[in-house]
Amino acid sequence: MAEDHTLPQLMCVRTRFTALNNAGAMTGTPYVTAALISLKATPNVTEGDKIEEKSAAGSVCASYQAPNTTNWYDVELQVCTPDPRLRAMMTGGTVLSDTPRSGYAAPALGAVDIATAPAVSIEAWALRINAGSPDTDSPYAWIALPKVTSIVDTGGLELSNTAQKPTFSAKAYENSAWGSVDFPVAYDRVWQWIPCTAADVPTATV
């Protein structure tokens, strides 16, 4: 029976962040969490020039709209826990260690070195609902952004009568060097998704 690709996708039960090297390949130990609050990616588009000429009689005699260009996707994400390891992976900050405790120090002030600026891939797993319950065959949707860079810690530091919720903005690009741990096929577009089974959902490491 053919897979129903129209099933609703709800929530996000797991998110995996993996650091990338300068070539765009995964490196280091992935960070897997169930603490994502939200992730949004929207296209950044430059409109093509519109050319219009009018005749001496005042009517349009020539018009053309050049094609738009999609430059990248703007990413906004927020997590529920201020884990030093994730924040350091995303921003290039430092994990402070005082065994058995750990904390976080923000990156040094100044210009970001583009050669060493952090980049990550982000994978997420959403529920696929069929008639009010998770789908029997493929209960999850695997969603991947293979290269997220130009990451900014927009949440900074806030101490108030609420939880600290690390918040980041970034840019997402295509990445032909990327290959997921669980999905080795070259999924290299700026983002993509495909149905998957419960066995494909990684266990949270934090």
Side-chain angles (χ1 to χ4, degrees), residues 55-126:
S55 70
S59 60
V60 174
C61 61
S63 64
Y64 175 70
Q65 175 73 52
N68 294 341
T69 300
T70 302
N71 303 303
W72 57 76
Y73 271 60
D74 290 310
V75 176
E76 299 175 5
L77 69 95
Q78 188 174 61
V79 291
C80 193
T81 54
D83 192 305
R85 291 166 294 172
L86 177 61
R87 214 159 194 171
M89 178 189 290
M90 297 288 283
T91 67
T94 303
V95 176
L96 303 178
S97 180
D98 182 15
T99 307
R101 305 168 188 88
S102 63
Y104 171 79
L109 300 178
V112 175
D113 184 351
I114 192 171
T116 59
V120 300
S121 65
I122 301 176
E123 300 164 84
W125 284 262

Side-chain angles (χ1 to χ4, degrees), residues 16-163:
R16 179 164 60 199
F17 300 84
T18 309
L20 304 177
N21 61 24
N22 286 344
M26 295 186 296
T27 182
T29 302
Y31 179 97
V32 185
T33 181
L36 181 77
I37 294 176
S38 64
L39 187 155
K40 183 178 182 181
T42 54
N44 181 287
V45 177
T46 299
E47 291 188 359
D49 286 345
K50 182 179 181 180
I51 301 169
E52 184 176 277
E53 296 291 344
K54 292 184 177 180
S55 70
S59 60
V60 174
C61 61
S63 64
Y64 175 70
Q65 175 73 52
N68 294 341
T69 300
T70 302
N71 303 303
W72 57 76
Y73 271 60
D74 290 310
V75 176
E76 299 175 5
L77 69 95
Q78 188 174 61
V79 291
C80 193
T81 54
D83 192 305
R85 291 166 294 172
L86 177 61
R87 214 159 194 171
M89 178 189 290
M90 297 288 283
T91 67
T94 303
V95 176
L96 303 178
S97 180
D98 182 15
T99 307
R101 305 168 188 88
S102 63
Y104 171 79
L109 300 178
V112 175
D113 184 351
I114 192 171
T116 59
V120 300
S121 65
I122 301 176
E123 300 164 84
W125 284 262
L127 278 173
R128 300 178 70 238
I129 301 301
N130 191 344
S133 300
D135 185 57
T136 303
D137 297 321
S138 300
Y140 296 95
W142 169 79
I143 303 151
L145 291 79
K147 185 175 183 179
V148 176
T149 187
S150 300
I151 304 168
V152 178
D153 185 350
T154 54
L157 176 65
E158 178 184 354
L159 300 176
S160 62
N161 188 26
T162 185

